[in-house]
Amino acid sequence: MPRLRFWLLTAALTISGCGGPYPQSTLHPRSDFGRAVDHLFTDIFWWAAGVFVVVEALLVIVLIRFRHREGRPAPKPTHGHTVLEIAWTLAPAVILVFVAVPTVRTIFATAGDAPADALRVEVTGHQWWWEYKYPDLGITTANEMHVPVGRPVQVAITSADVIHSFWAPALGGKRDAIPGHVNRIAFRADAVGDYSGQCAEFCGASHANMRLRVLVDADSVFQAWVKTEQGGPAAPATGSLAARGKEVFLHSPCLACHTIQGVSPGVIGPNLTHVGSRGTIAGAIFPNDSAHLASWIADAPSLKPGSLMTRMKPPLTDPDIAALVAYLQSLK
Ligand code: CUA
């Protein structure tokens, strides 16, 4: 019975691994970059599979044919076989050419810069969240990067503290985010969607909580998003609760770390000018809803170990937190 359970569990895990929608898979590429790497992987996989089959077949034949048999003399070893030696030198060399040429070609194809009219995005890794700046659009946002479908994007990646690695598997990558250095990646997304990604370089206590999303939008949706994000100074707090939340914000340490355009100048934490329009918070690990915002404000380190956003001293009262949540949610 335990054995049956073991096999059922194994089968269930295997089958569940095959299901879509492949949240973080390089094997289902959705950009020109992703496809180039995927083609290369498939090519090399089949070469490796061919080598594996030939080598294992020879091994099995030799093991059976020359195995020890009672009463028979040991098989005679062969010393020096020119044809064989030339063959096993040439064959791998030829195979390596078939591996190396597409590899080098793909490296050059994916290392080039995007065309001059590409959308430029500057990505900065922070412990433990991502900052995105669109220098040509005057936008600064966090964790959720928006790009239009079908248009080349030039991403410039760096870090504000330690080494991180920017990786949205379906779109291509990954690229290290190194302080004082800029790495680039260029891609053109070819399907609208919400692509998850992840910091891919160990960067401290909450490395695993440093996720990201790339939202590939239809052109009209992207233009609408740009309009919202460019909206200049934050929307005035509407409703008495949000207005009180703004007062709480202005009298708390929040403003020392967060920018809300026209309200506060902090630059240590994510820019909150339009935080209400984002789907997630805290390095894309929690949905951006009242409950999560409230517990995040009350005690961020318990939700994200090592978080630079500490517990406030003295702590905010529940009504103050509720007002703050209403204010942040009004910042569309
Ligand atoms: Cu940032 Cu791992």
Side-chain angles (χ1 to χ4, degrees), residues 32-33 104-116 118 152-155 175 183-188:
D32 54 348
F33 188 115
V104 173
R105 199 183 290 152
T106 308
I107 288 173
F108 276 93
T110 54
D113 277 345
V153 182
Q154 173 80 71
V155 184
R175 285 287 191 274
N183 275 331
R184 281 171 220 286
I185 184 171
F187 64 84
R188 200 181 59 243

Side-chain angles (χ1 to χ4, degrees), residues 82-316:
T82 314
V83 175
L84 213 54
E85 281 167 18
I86 289 175
W88 75 45
T89 306
L90 275 186
V94 170
I95 292 172
L96 283 181
V97 168
F98 278 95
V99 171
V101 171
T103 302
V104 173
R105 199 183 290 152
T106 308
I107 288 173
F108 276 93
T110 54
D113 277 345
D117 65 334
L119 173 72
R120 292 195 297 147
V121 188
E122 294 169 1
V123 176
T124 307
H126 295 258
Q127 284 175 315
W128 288 272
W129 56 282
W130 296 98
E131 180 173 46
Y132 306 115
K133 285 193 173 139
Y134 295 68
D136 304 323
L137 303 174
I139 290 173
T140 302
T141 185
N143 301 317
E144 296 173 7
M145 175 167 140
H146 284 253
V147 298
V149 70
R151 184 173 158 197
V153 182
Q154 173 80 71
V155 184
I157 302 161
T158 188
S159 166
D161 36 48
V162 300
I163 300 178
H164 304 273
S165 183
F166 181 81
W167 193 32
L171 299 171
K174 64 189 75 138
R175 285 287 191 274
D176 275 3
I178 301 170
H181 177 84
V182 176
N183 275 331
R184 281 171 220 286
I185 184 171
F187 64 84
R188 200 181 59 243
D190 47 30
V192 166
D194 174 356
Y195 302 101
S196 321
Q198 172 82 49
C199 177
E201 180 74 47
F202 180 70
C203 55
S206 269
H207 159 65
N209 297 322
M210 189 171 168
R211 295 185 212 157
L212 59 99
R213 289 166 80 198
V214 180
L215 294 126
V216 177
D217 300 328
D219 204 50
S220 57
V221 177
F222 179 75
Q223 294 309 336
W225 176 80
V226 168
K227 239 189 198 150
T228 326
E229 293 291 323
Q230 276 177 331
T238 47
S240 58
L241 191 59
R244 211 173 81 66
K246 185 174 176 184
E247 285 308 309
V248 174
F249 184 89
L250 287 172
H251 293 94
S252 74
C254 307
L255 54 88
C257 292
H258 294 283
T259 295
I260 296 180
Q261 216 180 314
V263 176
S264 66
V267 290
I268 293 169
N271 185 312
L272 300 178
T273 309
H274 300 286
V275 67
S277 64
R278 289 178 212 150
T280 54
I281 56 164
I285 55 176
F286 301 118
N288 186 7
D289 57 28
S290 313
H292 285 94
L293 265 176
S295 27
W296 178 253
I297 294 167
D299 190 357
S302 74
L303 299 175
K304 194 178 206 179
S307 163
L308 286 187
M309 179 160 142
T310 52
R311 277 173 222 108
M312 271 182 235
K313 281 180 210 140
L316 291 173

